[in-house]
Amino acid sequence: MQYELSNLVEAIKIIYVLGFLLVFSIQDYRRREISDNLVYVFTGGSIVFCSLTIYMYKPSPLYLVFSFMVPVLFIAMYLAGLMGEGDVYVVFSLALLYPVPPHSSLLPRSLLPPPLSITVYSTLSIVLVSLLYGAYTLIRYRGLLKEVPLKYRFIYPFIAKPMRLNEYLGTEFYYPLTLIELKDNDVKTTYRLHYDVEEDPRAYREMFKRLIESGVVPDTTYVWVSYGIPYIIPLFLGTIIFLLLGDTPILRLLELIL
């Protein structure tokens, strides 16, 4: 009877988490923000599932501490400007939804805290895409890379792409890593490795537009820009991989490394 109840609860949780993450992914892709009300509903439901999970399985408090270290890390990243507030809420809700591995014949067995496995899969998906895109950028834009300071030259291909200013003005979710400013009648170009997610790309577009209109820089000038990756999408992918494979690939990788 207990096992049948576990299967029922896990089946409901699968529908619940994938449904919300699908909607959040679509919203994040289209607008780079997700509905506050839906996030609150998702978090509220996850609290209910967390209470039910703890009641049913009575997990070790120490194990729960390890599970919730992941959202704590995301909170720290948010405070550092590296993560959006909505992403933190979703990660925290996932930790509530899966504080311990699923106890069900519907899903593979796991040992590691689920929030850790989901985050690892999400991060690896981003890394894989970045490596493939970086290799392409290194080959296609090797000439433009020579103009970039050496300390950034081998990093930019994996986190950014070159774009003409006239093209950048028509974008929406790109953040410039190359900043051009007019100071004391001199054009100064600076470079950076990351941006704050709270920055408004529109401010940079307006800045470049004024520089072009005043004749300070031609609109064919290249700048390196980084696409604001909607993290909910790789998080959605990481959750799917976890539900299909558990933490077996991660444990196998750890065995090879160690």
Side-chain angles (χ1 to χ4, degrees):
M1 183 65 181
Q2 178 72 22
Y3 208 63
E4 292 178 358
L5 178 60
S6 296
N7 283 342
L8 176 61
V9 170
E10 295 302 335
I12 295 174
K13 285 167 64 174
I14 291 172
I15 298 172
Y16 180 82
V17 67
L18 295 184
F20 271 101
L21 288 182
L22 175 60
V23 173
F24 291 153
S25 296
I26 294 172
Q27 291 179 338
D28 205 17
Y29 177 77
R30 289 178 176 176
R31 309 196 307 261
R32 288 305 182 279
E33 60 182 18
I34 55 182
S35 168
D36 290 343
N37 291 333
L38 280 181
V39 169
Y40 298 149
V41 172
F42 183 50
T43 302
S46 297
I47 292 174
V48 174
F49 278 116
C50 183
S51 301
L52 181 60
T53 298
I54 293 175
Y55 173 77
M56 290 175 59
Y57 306 136
K58 297 177 177 55
S60 163
L62 183 60
Y63 194 95
L64 294 178
V65 169
F66 278 109
S67 287
F68 284 96
M69 284 178 63
V70 173
V72 169
L73 174 62
F74 274 77
I75 291 174
M77 294 173 64
Y78 164 70
L79 295 176
L82 301 176
M83 188 66 58
E85 184 178 2
D87 299 328
V88 175
Y89 270 101
V90 173
V91 171
F92 180 67
S93 299
L94 285 173
L96 289 169
L97 197 59
Y98 290 106
V100 297
H103 293 62
S104 171
S105 60
L106 301 175
L107 299 169
R109 288 285 185 178
S110 297
L111 296 174
L112 300 174
L116 175 61
S117 299
I118 292 172
T119 302
V120 169
Y121 289 135
S122 303
T123 304
L124 287 177
S125 67
I126 295 175
V127 170
L128 178 60
V129 172
S130 298
L131 288 175
L132 293 174
Y133 182 78
Y136 165 79
T137 305
L138 278 170
I139 296 172
R140 179 171 181 179
Y141 299 109
R142 57 185 180 276
L144 292 175
L145 280 169
K146 295 178 181 179
E147 302 174 6
V148 176
L150 184 60
K151 61 181 180 180
Y152 301 118
R153 194 170 299 170
F154 298 103
I155 300 177
Y156 270 18
F158 302 97
I159 63 173
K161 64 177 289 186
M163 187 179 289
R164 290 189 180 92
L165 286 178
N166 53 14
E167 182 184 358
Y168 175 71
L169 294 182
T171 65
E172 193 171 0
F173 300 118
Y174 281 92
Y175 296 80
L177 298 184
T178 305
L179 301 179
I180 303 174
E181 299 176 283
L182 182 62
K183 291 186 176 181
D184 300 325
N185 294 323
D186 287 330
V187 177
K188 183 178 181 181
T189 302
T190 58
Y191 299 85
R192 59 180 183 170
L193 286 178
H194 64 86
Y195 54 87
D196 191 316
V197 294
E198 299 300 326
E199 293 179 11
D200 187 353
R202 290 175 297 184
Y204 293 108
R205 293 198 296 270
E206 287 298 320
M207 179 186 71
F208 287 136
K209 184 178 180 181
R210 289 194 298 269
L211 291 175
I212 293 171
E213 290 176 346
S214 61
V216 174
V217 293
D219 63 358
T220 54
T221 301
Y222 275 97
V223 291
W224 285 84
V225 298
S226 180
Y227 187 64
I229 298 176
Y231 187 71
I232 298 297
I233 294 178
L235 198 61
F236 182 29
L237 178 60
T239 302
I240 293 175
I241 296 174
F242 168 73
L243 293 174
L244 291 175
L245 303 178
D247 58 15
T248 301
I250 299 174
L251 294 176
R252 293 288 182 271
L253 180 61
L254 289 175
E255 288 179 359
L256 290 174
I257 296 175
L258 301 177

